[in-house]
Amino acid sequence: MKKTTILAAIVATSTALTAFAHGGATGIVKDRMDAMADMGKAVKAVTPMMRGEIDYDADVVRQAAATFSRHAGDSMTELFPEGSGGMPSEAKDAIWSKWEEFSALAEQLGIVSEGLSGAADNGLMATGSSAMSTDTMMGGGSGMMGGGSSMMGRTGAMGNTMTTAQISKMPVDGAFSMVTQVCSACHTKFRAESQ
């Protein structure tokens, strides 16, 4: 629960900083900042449901999933043509030097977004908790971000990924956690901290 709160704080801060940064952005940089803000709003709409703070609404989850999906894959990578870094962009140069890894994360966002849409009718996990622990996603040897058999692996490679169909069978909070972890992995590697 603590990590979920931290993740929500990061999203809120990122959204506020992105709004501030938009002041000097134009062209493709503004387009990608707008796309990131759009996804940030979708995360903010769904997070309270995953925490059990508001009633669950599968339609809102599907709308959020559609937002993530709309900005995934080629739609994401097309927003980062080579040479479009520098202020006011928050894109690290690593995007272009590690293009295959960046592209793989953009594709993975599409997979988990479609899985989230499919999981929308599954409801929240039936444990005592109202939301899946981010420890499960980021933790040990079989966690999403963890060790050798993980989704992201220690090196960030995209080996052993789950399919959209597999994700669609999960409780919706697990699928949502996968979406936010793909976003977090991309931001950690490819987004500069705002000053």
Side-chain angles (χ1 to χ4, degrees):
M1 190 66 166
K2 184 177 181 181
K3 287 190 181 203
T4 303
T5 302
I6 291 169
L7 180 61
I10 289 169
V11 169
T13 302
S14 295
T15 303
L17 291 173
T18 299
F20 178 74
H22 281 198
T26 59
I28 197 78
V29 173
K30 184 174 185 323
D31 291 346
R32 70 183 176 227
M33 287 179 163
D34 289 345
M36 298 300 168
D38 194 26
M39 288 189 287
K41 288 175 189 172
V43 169
K44 286 173 69 171
V46 173
T47 297
M49 284 186 265
M50 299 300 119
R51 292 187 190 154
E53 296 171 356
I54 62 173
D55 288 341
Y56 181 75
D57 185 336
D59 289 333
V60 171
V61 172
R62 277 190 284 277
Q63 289 168 10
T67 297
F68 302 133
S69 186
R70 184 173 57 252
H71 295 299
D74 290 342
S75 295
M76 174 70 71
T77 58
E78 289 170 0
L79 293 174
F80 291 87
E82 195 157 1
S84 65
M87 290 306 289
S89 175
E90 295 173 345
K92 291 181 180 177
D93 289 339
I95 287 177
W96 298 282
S97 65
K98 297 181 180 180
W99 186 256
E100 285 184 27
E101 190 174 350
F102 177 69
S103 295
L105 284 167
E107 289 301 319
Q108 190 62 32
L109 179 61
I111 292 167
V112 297
S113 298
E114 291 300 317
L116 175 63
S117 181
D121 289 327
N122 298 347
L124 298 170
M125 193 166 28
T127 65
S129 170
S130 62
M132 178 174 250
S133 166
T134 54
D135 287 340
T136 303
M137 287 292 157
M138 296 189 72
S142 63
M144 182 174 159
M145 302 279 296
S149 64
S150 69
M151 182 173 179
M152 303 296 271
R154 288 197 173 134
T155 63
M158 296 306 294
N160 299 324
T161 59
M162 292 180 71
T163 66
T164 297
Q166 291 168 322
I167 297 165
S168 294
K169 294 177 183 175
M170 297 174 65
V172 70
D173 41 342
F176 180 69
S177 289
M178 292 181 79
V179 170
T180 60
Q181 292 308 316
V182 170
C183 294
S184 179
C186 193
H187 287 183
T188 298
K189 293 177 184 205
F190 300 116
R191 181 175 180 239
E193 294 295 323
S194 298
Q195 299 298 328

